[in-house]
Amino acid sequence: MGSAIVITSGKGGVGKTTSTANIGTALALLGKSVCLVDADIGLRNLDVVMGLENRIIFDIVDVANGTCRLEQALIRDKRFDRLTLLPASQTKDKYALSPDAVKRIVEELKQSFDFVIIDCPAGIEHGFKVAVAGADQAIVVTTPEHTAVRDADRVIGLLEGANLRNPKLIINRIRPKMVRTGDMLDIDEVVSVLAIDLLGIVPDDETIISQANKGEPTVVRPDSRAALSYRNIARRMLGDPVPLELLDEPPTFWDRVRRVFSRG
Amino acid sequence: MSTVASSRLHPRPGDKPPVFVKGVNDGLLFLLDEECPMDALLEHLTQLLHGDTASVFDGPVVPVSIDYGNRELSAEDARRLLGLFMRVENFLIREWGAHTAARRALLNTRGAMTGQTIHKGTVRSGQRVVSDGDLVVIGDVNPGGEVAAVGDVYIFGRLAGIAHAGIDGDERAIIAAAELRPLQLRIARTVSRPPEGEGWPPRTFMEFAYLGPDGMAVERLQYLSALRPR
């Protein structure tokens, strides 16, 4: 029996889908069987980020309506043999899914997967309620901006109301330089407001954009700092006490040159 | 106990009416605003007691208490004010003064207030915790969160959202917090925002906000018993 984790944020554009794709892939690379569920009906993206768009025949709404069996809608990712996607519907509207239907589907998925990771739509209305319906745990993604933190705070309150206590926090798109100059909220500030456990921090990384456009999760790129962060997040979810990554930028060529000279 | 008529003959937006009428045990309590100009007060009372709304007060004989607060009254003012009340036929004037028993009884009911709420946990954005007595929050009140109480509000944590004490109009209610950096403070009908600009100095003591003679004021919690003796 696996566990179902919903990834949510309230605010849009903070990296829910990216986090879902990368955490799921990282867990699969660590040997766990993972099913990614796209609960963003009408605005599906997860299949695009994963590069699986052209293989969709049935989707989660078809499963809920009984048009097809659950196994028929699941897309096995050929690159990572333990990774599977249950896509959202692009054509139907968000009311096509009910919380009860999603709960049933997630329960069934939990029988055959170690992790069921649900990508929640932005907002706190029907789509949010549907996405959290079947979840046992929640991960809240935020960025170090007042608006995103405010929305995350609201969502944590709603999760408590839905009996999803002790959600975990990911602070995404951190720019170490801006934090150092005081132009961006720092991690301590965000954590002290939200007062929940920090699962990980992810630096702002252009590789995320290029990899999403390529349809390949960033975690497969060994040279990306964001990839390292997501791999560490996955390890922490499995109980491995990995310390937080340092946010300092890697030294540039000129830094190294300067250091060599200062030594002399 | 209920408000009989919160007279609003001249609605002045953002301004409180100069006269408040409260129903107390067996009669009526008139609370006269102590700051508004004497002429405005007289005009308002004349309208209230002898103008369009006069019929509200018709009926059997009713005991009346009149409290003029801390206003300095000349003999002439007192005669004119009292005269307005004496001309109402069914008013039996029982009390006239600065700190009438009726007013004290009204404010003292706070001590006997039923509900006292202890909220454990963070009050997050979009959440609102209300108490019909005093409210104690063990945790932070985050930006976008709101706590409100008929009595006092005590926050053992950081107040970064909105707190409203004395929601039924008790101006002696206070707001205390271990870290007082609110978006907004409200006591009774007074709303106040923290001064803009500079950040918050770090504090290591608990503070409380109260309504002083010049509006909202903040003091260290140690001074609470001096300002609000029980």
Side-chain angles (χ1 to χ4, degrees), chain A residues 150-151 153-154 156-158 160 189 192-196, chain B residues 122-127 140 142-145 158 181 183:
Chain A
R150 192 69 61 90
D151 290 359
D153 193 41
R154 178 93 169 93
I156 295 165
L158 293 173
E160 281 167 3
E189 244 173 306
S192 89
V193 167
L194 297 179
I196 58 174
Chain B
T122 310
V123 179
R124 299 184 180 277
S125 177
Q127 294 178 331
D140 294 345
N142 279 351
R158 174 170 56 191
R181 38 190 285 187
L183 282 178

Side-chain angles (χ1 to χ4, degrees), chain A residues 10 44 46 49 51 78 88 101 116 140 160 213 237:
Chain A
R44 72 175 187 212
L46 189 53
V49 173
K78 289 183 181 131
V116 179
V140 176
E160 281 167 3
N213 288 339
M237 287 169 72

Side-chain angles (χ1 to χ4, degrees), chain A residues 61-79:
Chain A
V61 177
D62 293 320
V63 178
N65 293 341
T67 316
C68 71
R69 282 176 294 111
L70 179 58
E71 305 83 75
Q72 290 177 292
L74 294 180
I75 300 170
R76 187 170 279 265
D77 193 321
K78 289 183 181 131
R79 295 160 297 184

Side-chain angles (χ1 to χ4, degrees), chain A:
Chain A
M1 183 81 170
S3 63
I5 301 169
V6 64
I7 298 194
T8 182
S9 71
K11 190 175 182 301
V14 298
K16 282 179 299 294
T17 302
T18 306
S19 296
T20 307
N22 283 296
I23 292 172
T25 308
L27 285 168
L29 289 172
L30 289 167
K32 299 289 166 188
S33 62
V34 179
C35 182
L36 305 178
V37 178
D38 191 346
D40 199 349
I41 310 300
L43 289 171
R44 72 175 187 212
N45 280 157
L46 189 53
D47 52 318
V48 181
V49 173
M50 294 298 295
L52 299 171
E53 192 181 10
N54 55 6
R55 293 183 47 201
I56 299 176
I57 297 163
F58 295 113
D59 56 56
I60 189 169
V61 177
D62 293 320
V63 178
N65 293 341
T67 316
C68 71
R69 282 176 294 111
L70 179 58
E71 305 83 75
Q72 290 177 292
L74 294 180
I75 300 170
R76 187 170 279 265
D77 193 321
K78 289 183 181 131
R79 295 160 297 184
F80 321 98
D81 56 354
R82 291 186 179 84
L83 191 60
T84 304
L85 171 72
L86 177 56
S89 166
Q90 182 71 311
T91 46
K92 288 140 196 148
D93 81 284
K94 57 184 175 183
Y95 296 102
L97 269 189
S98 72
D100 282 341
V102 172
K103 212 174 192 168
R104 264 200 320 276
I105 294 171
V106 171
E107 280 303 315
E108 200 177 332
L109 288 171
K110 274 160 65 179
Q111 306 299 325
S112 30
F113 293 93
D114 296 327
F115 286 96
V116 179
I117 302 187
I118 306 159
D119 184 19
C120 178
I124 51 172
E125 297 87 20
H126 183 79
F128 170 81
K129 285 170 194 148
V130 165
V132 303
D136 312 310
Q137 293 167 53
I139 293 176
V140 176
V141 183
T142 189
T143 59
E145 291 157 85
H146 280 300
T147 44
V149 172
R150 192 69 61 90
D151 290 359
D153 193 41
R154 178 93 169 93
V155 158
I156 295 165
L158 293 173
L159 288 171
E160 281 167 3
N163 250 329
L164 281 168
R165 296 190 184 279
N166 306 321
K168 302 282 184 282
L169 180 67
I170 291 178
I171 306 177
N172 195 12
R173 304 234 306 256
I174 298 173
R175 298 195 193 181
K177 238 184 220 146
M178 289 184 72
V179 172
R180 227 174 297 133
T181 54
D183 293 322
M184 189 175 249
L185 293 173
D186 70 14
I187 298 157
D188 291 343
E189 244 173 306
V190 177
V191 172
S192 89
V193 167
L194 297 179
I196 58 174
D197 293 342
L198 183 62
L199 181 62
I201 53 174
V202 183
D204 201 22
D205 187 341
E206 285 171 7
T207 321
I208 295 271
I209 301 168
S210 58
Q211 289 295 104
N213 288 339
K214 246 192 263 174
E216 191 181 59
T218 311
V219 280
V220 300
R221 290 277 300 269
D223 54 335
S224 152
R225 288 160 60 75
L228 174 69
S229 296
Y230 278 120
R231 282 200 298 268
N232 284 346
I233 286 170
R235 285 170 62 190
R236 290 186 198 109
M237 287 169 72
L238 298 178
D240 196 351
V242 191
L244 276 188
E245 302 85 60
L246 292 173
L247 274 177
D248 293 322
E249 309 257 315
T252 61
F253 172 73
W254 285 112
D255 288 339
R256 261 177 262 147
V257 170
R258 247 176 258 134
R259 210 167 301 158
V260 169
F261 277 98
S262 63
R263 238 178 255 154

Side-chain angles (χ1 to χ4, degrees), chain B residues 78-227:
Chain B
R79 237 188 333 270
R80 283 163 72 192
L81 271 179
L82 207 45
L84 286 174
F85 286 94
M86 288 166 77
R87 278 186 9 233
V88 183
E89 279 181 12
N90 56 324
F91 275 6
L92 169 63
I93 294 172
R94 185 172 51 182
E95 272 187 287
W96 162 260
H99 296 286
T100 54
R103 183 204 188 103
R104 281 202 306 275
L106 183 69
L107 296 178
N108 278 343
T109 48
R110 263 186 52 209
M113 251 171 339
T114 45
Q116 265 194 351
T117 310
I118 298 182
H119 177 91
K120 291 177 185 162
T122 310
V123 179
R124 299 184 180 277
S125 177
Q127 294 178 331
R128 183 177 151 92
V129 178
V130 187
S131 167
D132 53 5
D134 292 342
L135 173 63
V136 177
V137 178
I138 318 272
D140 294 345
V141 178
N142 279 351
E146 194 177 334
V147 290
V150 172
D152 299 338
V153 175
Y154 304 94
I155 298 158
F156 289 85
R158 174 170 56 191
L159 170 59
I162 297 174
H164 192 172
I167 46 178
D168 284 353
D170 180 1
E171 297 186 343
R172 289 177 55 83
I174 62 129
I175 299 166
E179 198 180 334
L180 195 64
R181 38 190 285 187
L183 282 178
Q184 220 180 64
L185 291 174
R186 302 178 188 164
I187 294 177
R189 276 157 287 143
T190 303
V191 179
S192 149
R193 280 178 301 136
E196 284 181 27
E198 81 285 2
W200 298 84
R203 300 227 195 276
T204 52
F205 44 84
M206 201 151 166
E207 290 177 301
F208 72 101
Y210 64 100
L211 278 183
D214 305 319
M216 199 78 73
V218 171
E219 200 51 83
R220 291 176 68 154
L221 196 64
Q222 285 89 324
Y223 301 113
L224 174 59
S225 54
L227 273 153

